[in-house]
Amino acid sequence: MVESALRFEVTGLNCGGCAGRAERALAAVSGVSEARVNLANRMASVEGAAPITALHGALKKAGYPAAETRHQLIIDGMSCASCAGRVEEALRALPGVLSARVNLATNMAEVTTLNGPVDPRVLADTVTQIGYPTQIAQANSKDSAAARQAREASALRRDLGIAAALTLPVFLGVMGGHIFPPLHRWLHGTFGQQGWWLIQFLLTSAVLIWPGRRFYRIGLPLLVKGAPDMNSLVALGTLAAWGYSTVALFLPQLLPASARDVYFEAAAVIVTLILLGRFLEARAKGRTGEAIRKLAGLRPDTARVDRDGAIVEIALENVVQGDTLHLRPGERVAVDGTVLEGRSFVDEAMITGEPVPVEKTEGTTLVGGTVNGQGALRYRATAVGSDTVLARIVALVEGAQAARLPVQALADKVVRWFVPGVLALAALTLLVWLIFGPSLAIVASVSVLIIACPCAMGLATPTSIMVGTGRAAELGVLFRKGEALQRMDDLKIIAFDKTGTLTEGKPSLVAQHPAPGIDVTRALHLAASAEQGSEHPIARALEQACDAPLLPPETVEAIPGHGLNARVDGHDLLVGAPRLMQRDGIDMTALAPALTQIEAQGQTPVLIAIDGQIAAAFAIADQIKPGAAQAIKALQDQDLKIAMITGDSHAAARSVAQQLNISEIAADILPEGKLDTVRTLREQHGPIGFVGDGINDAPALAEANVGLAIGTGTDVAMESADIVLSSGALAGVVNARHISHGVMHNIRQNLFWAFGYNVALIPVAAGLFYPLTGWLLSPMLAAGAMALSSVFVLSNALRLRRLRPVLRA
């Protein structure tokens, strides 16, 4: 049963019409709330509550079966049929599992899953958790996308070679005879017209039966079902040319004398050229996922792990959480972990974009895929498999690549009716020319069938998304939601949180102002002790400024947007902004001059009240992030308005805004106020992006047209965002905008070509201009143009791999 998003591979997709039909088949299944099929990576994404078998059956019935993978498990502890039944039940309950069969005699289970959503380790872990220790019987048998694409390209290369070898004599004999008349006379003198036609028949039939069979095997059954696709058009076109020619060869009496001609070369060349296009397309598709493969390739294949007191090298998939691993100088970190022993510098540029290696000592974290420097480290695995940072990044990019952008809606509507429309137009062309020019009827109708290319329309958007999001990931911009690609390009204003976003988020204590008769060291000690459970950067500043060991708080209650109240060492404390003291009726008169001074200097005041009496004010200052001014200037140069929304005081906000040349400021804003401020700014200026990093930014990130979370921020913020900037650098915002603009421009180019190509050439193929200009498109030229249309779209999308960042992180 699908109860949330499920992604899996669909086979048999050759054009946008295929993807649309597969998508509608999935959407029609009871319980499905949303279904998307991406032609570029051949992945379906389904949301809702629907049985897996129903999805599988719907796709199979539509002619686009879901790809399947079979896994074998070795299971210990089973002693009866009841055990086997329990294991089967547990496995079948997993999302993506189609069937599970357990053989009690061999203690083996065979599980069939959809290709995509199921990790075999999850299967093994699930059975282990219900009491039967399980391991994978063999290495993961699920084909990688790269391997499948390589096999597809290899098969197409083979078929293309065979088709070319069989077609070349036909093509040279027919076309060469027109160009070089002596060849024509030699062929007819040697074989005679009937003999030469017979040779063409034999060679062309071999082309259609052997390398061309893929079009008929897929296209004809779909035609019978009333759901024709691109293969159906090719099958009809080539069979029409071949069938008409066969009648002219063997039963000429059925045709008028003026119409007795053969078009075997057209059928053979059509198959060959379309195979050439498919081969070039397969090679290009293989390159669209290059960024994902590069990311996945950062994982080492093996890891050195402590096992029974010895260090052994094992396959990466056998590393489990809690294992102790050893990392030698120059090696890649195998999995996420925490350093237990050693000191080194690790290159984390793949995650943060920062070129300077980061020091790692006991207690610091390691990220799988990063590169160790000169030191040796011993560390404990804290996340493995799909839970690692690298795996989550790959999952984010894969999820974004499956997105359906609003700009694709028009293409989808056209593709839905395109193939039936082409079939109707080809039939109309045939009828019209049978009446006004019978000798041109077959040529014109076959050209209409072949020239039409829904493939280009179907590939126009998803290929650009795949390449663009992959390139974005390489630049440290992770699109969690593919739709953000289009929305980011439409923004009119971008609002920034201040602390941790525009500033370092690592404020420090710069001044202390005690109330009369108060020991300020004691007040700081109590405030830092109360704040030690908070994740706010200001809490870290108080902790770092306090030299004494912190006291354990008896109670702590966070008050969002204000501060906290706590009980420490027998005292009731309030620690936070001046508005917290006002809320609780604390008299701040004794610290009024200090507060005026703090705010005048653009610093953040943090007050503490002890047992209901004001005790001290601490001045906290934060440094602006390096590169923030450059990023703001770059965005303003793109005619974007810039705003800052912060819970800090107006004076502190003005100080930062003046340094960054930000004119629109909303200060002293509570978390729920940030959401209202985003709405107000959208009403005033149009689509808005919001950049933040903290828990209190989550509502605003979700409310904005595009939410951008700083990757060094909290998990809650990143879960609420549409885009995650893997480093804390604001250059990522500029680059995200640049990538979005580049991808959308690329998509519009692709769609313009795909639509324009068909609008311009289908009338020519139908012979609409023949009476006036004598233009009539040869079926062979139509096949070449159709094949090159998809190749053009893919090649154009691949240009996005060369996108350069506007700013370096």
Side-chain angles (χ1 to χ4, degrees), residues 449-463:
L449 288 171
I450 300 303
I451 194 68
C453 189
C455 307
M457 286 184 277
L459 289 168
T461 300
T463 50

Side-chain angles (χ1 to χ4, degrees), residues 14-18 39 229-231 233-234 274 277-278 281 411 414-415 418-419 422-423 446-460 750-762 765 782-794:
N14 293 291
C15 65
C18 303
L39 176 62
D229 69 346
M230 189 63 214
N231 292 292
L233 295 183
V234 176
I274 293 177
R278 292 270 176 97
E281 185 180 314
V414 172
V415 167
F418 188 83
V419 173
V422 169
L423 288 172
V446 169
S447 293
V448 170
L449 288 171
I450 300 303
I451 194 68
C453 189
C455 307
M457 286 184 277
L459 289 168
N750 285 347
L751 288 174
F752 177 81
W753 166 262
F755 282 117
Y757 160 88
N758 284 288
V759 169
L761 292 186
I762 288 180
M786 188 278 284
L788 289 176
S789 179
S790 294
V791 174
F792 174 88
V793 165
L794 283 159

Side-chain angles (χ1 to χ4, degrees), residues 627-643:
Q630 188 182 11
I632 296 298
K633 174 67 165 57
L635 292 170
Q636 290 171 334
D637 288 344
Q638 297 176 25
D639 294 327
L640 282 168
K641 296 185 181 296
I642 304 298

